[in-house]
Amino acid sequence: MQPLWRLPTTRTHQLAGSAGPLTFVGGAADLDAHGKIRSPDNLPAQIAGALENVSQALAGENCTLDDVVRLKAYYSEDLEDWAVITALADHFSADPMPVFSTVPEPLQPFAGQLVQLQVIAQRNWRTQLKFISVERPVPEEWQAKLGSRKVTGGLRAGEFIAVANRTAAGAGDAVAQSHAVMELHEQTLSALGAGLQDSVKMEGHFFGTTREDWAPLALARASHFAEPGPPATVVPCQRLYPEGAVTKIDVMAMRQKRLSYDKYIPRTDIWPDRVWDWPLNLPYRQAIGLRDMIWLGGQVPSEPFANSGNRMMAGQLEGQTRLTMSYIEDLLRGFGRSPSDLKLMVCYFTCSDGEAGAVRMLDLLADCVGGPLPPLTLVPKSMMHSVENTVEIWGVAQG
């Protein structure tokens, strides 16, 4: 039997975890049992190796690759997203394919690493649940690589819905692109019997490092939601494809079938006074609970008990990470849970010294969680929202 892969840390960590009906795998990479990349600087080999590790992690939760609903790939080669999507498609023989979301990231956490794969699966959705998929258009130059297969733009497996992240290059400026992407998502969700108000998570990436860059895009995205909206995470990016794209957005949603009707699933909403609010009046929530899952918004080291947007301990990664994790603790406490109940953690953080910095972050997060690290996606950035802000963290916990 192949030895279990691991992150390059002495800290105990989980490879996969389940909350409600879903199973999560964090940023799986082409790592061996010693936490080393097996095929350094070789993207095709790393995709294959990472998927082997995903399969191994899923097996521990009684899932297989056929159970994957959504796969998000963070990759560091200077390639179009479609090169990664078609490479991933080669490893999934069943149709419909999972939803593939791709994010080009210049940095990876570990030496020689070019890709990490974050996965959400649902056991036996192909055989035991009603499902529906919506295809997304494939650029002509990539159609031959896929043959007659269709690429999934949105997938509803029972109640869970994943929509691929999209760009809208050519739609105009950043605000116009934001509206165009949200309209694409509205169309996809409608075809799946849902709408944006059913979202349980929105995650976005954009070019910009100031509040002035962020604010108009934030208002554009927010205009597509009524209150209460979903938890949201939006982080700056340093690279996007195709040329001219300035933002990329994806959503996940849940909607129930009651008799012959599609119905909204009520959510429990927790927002302690201490947990910050945005400096704009946005409809998003910080934490919602439904179906034995808790979905968190992206937590940042903003001023507590305030909506100033001011960052505490400006530029200090360790202090800001501890503050950010304390907000996650506050939010989970409202559901009777703690950070040890996290089944997925996604951490964006500034890092200038490669693997050494990533390992320090693993140690810091382990101290804050107070037990084994949950399945973890660790995304180093050359810069976050500004020089004052160094970290943003979100996750999903058992409800």
Side-chain angles (χ1 to χ4, degrees):
M1 180 180 294
Q2 178 185 343
L4 290 174
W5 59 278
R6 64 173 296 110
L7 301 172
T9 177
T10 59
R11 302 300 188 116
T12 303
H13 64 89
Q14 304 289 351
L15 300 182
S18 293
L22 303 181
T23 292
F24 302 88
V25 179
D30 179 41
L31 292 163
D32 64 17
H34 304 287
K36 299 296 183 184
I37 297 293
R38 292 175 291 195
S39 301
D41 303 315
N42 183 330
L43 182 60
Q46 286 193 29
I47 288 175
L51 284 169
E52 288 176 8
N53 286 342
V54 167
S55 180
Q56 187 186 62
L58 288 173
E61 295 290 317
N62 196 23
C63 291
T64 72
L65 287 180
D66 282 345
D67 296 316
V68 175
V69 179
R70 175 187 185 263
L71 183 154
K72 190 162 187 174
Y74 298 82
Y75 69 96
S76 297
E77 286 277 70
D78 189 8
L79 296 170
E80 286 191 40
D81 295 280
W82 284 101
V84 177
I85 292 170
T86 54
L88 290 167
D90 288 341
H91 296 273
F92 290 86
S93 58
D95 289 316
M97 298 181 199
V99 166
F100 297 134
S101 286
T102 51
V103 183
E105 288 285 357
L107 302 179
Q108 293 285 343
F110 308 123
Q113 184 177 0
L114 293 176
V115 69
Q116 58 179 314
L117 306 179
Q118 176 187 297
V119 164
I120 302 177
Q122 184 158 215
R123 279 170 294 286
N124 302 318
W125 64 266
R126 295 178 186 274
T127 57
Q128 297 183 11
L129 298 175
K130 291 183 178 180
F131 64 87
I132 181 172
S133 65
V134 176
E135 67 179 271
R136 61 181 291 190
V138 179
E140 185 175 353
E141 61 268 29
W142 294 102
Q143 291 174 2
K145 181 74 170 62
L146 292 161
S148 60
R149 299 190 70 194
K150 308 299 184 184
V151 174
T152 305
L155 176 61
R156 179 174 178 175
E159 293 184 340
F160 180 65
I161 302 169
V163 177
N165 65 355
R166 302 285 292 271
T167 60
D173 63 12
V175 169
Q177 289 188 30
S178 299
H179 284 300
V181 173
M182 297 305 293
E183 288 163 5
L184 284 172
H185 290 338
E186 287 173 344
Q187 294 165 16
T188 300
L189 287 166
S190 177
L192 298 172
L196 279 171
Q197 209 58 32
D198 295 299
S199 299
V200 295
K201 184 68 184 181
M202 182 192 73
E203 192 168 19
H205 306 264
F206 75 105
F207 286 131
T209 55
T210 68
R211 187 171 300 175
E212 289 71 25
D213 295 328
W214 164 80
L217 279 68
L219 291 171
R221 292 185 298 266
S223 70
H224 293 265
F225 295 100
E227 190 174 10
T233 299
V234 179
V235 296
C237 60
Q238 285 73 44
R239 183 185 293 168
L240 280 176
Y241 301 101
E243 185 177 352
V246 295
T247 189
K248 196 167 198 179
I249 307 164
D250 55 342
V251 295
M252 291 177 279
M254 293 193 72
R255 191 161 174 87
Q256 66 178 324
K257 178 71 76 173
R258 184 173 174 82
L259 302 176
S260 59
Y261 300 120
D262 287 304
K263 294 285 188 179
Y264 179 82
I265 302 174
R267 295 103 206 270
T268 302
D269 186 337
I270 298 293
W271 196 335
D273 289 343
R274 177 174 177 266
V275 178
W276 56 277
D277 197 352
W278 290 270
L280 300 175
N281 188 12
L282 301 177
Y284 309 120
R285 313 311 289 176
Q286 296 287 24
I288 60 169
L290 73 168
R291 298 298 194 252
D292 294 323
M293 294 178 288
I294 302 162
W295 294 80
L296 298 175
Q299 296 305 302
V300 294
S302 286
E303 184 178 7
F305 303 100
N307 62 354
S308 65
N310 295 334
R311 302 306 197 212
M312 310 300 287
M313 295 170 282
Q316 301 176 46
L317 180 60
E318 180 173 344
Q320 290 195 333
T321 300
R322 293 185 185 280
L323 175 61
T324 298
M325 287 300 298
S326 79
Y327 289 143
I328 289 176
E329 185 174 5
D330 284 353
L331 291 165
L332 293 176
R333 187 182 300 112
F335 295 92
R337 298 293 178 175
S338 72
S340 64
D341 293 300
L342 287 164
K343 304 302 179 182
L344 174 69
M345 180 189 289
V346 183
C347 177
Y348 298 93
F349 70 108
T350 55
C351 182
S352 60
D353 55 351
E355 183 167 319
V359 171
R360 285 196 302 275
M361 177 57 82
L362 289 173
D363 288 339
L364 180 56
L365 292 172
D367 288 342
C368 294
V369 169
L373 281 165
L376 175 66
T377 305
L378 198 62
V379 186
K381 310 284 287 185
S382 58
M383 188 171 178
M384 287 291 290
H385 308 80
S386 66
V387 293
E388 290 82 17
N389 188 94
T390 65
V391 66
E392 182 159 345
I393 303 172
W394 72 275
V396 183
Q398 178 66 49

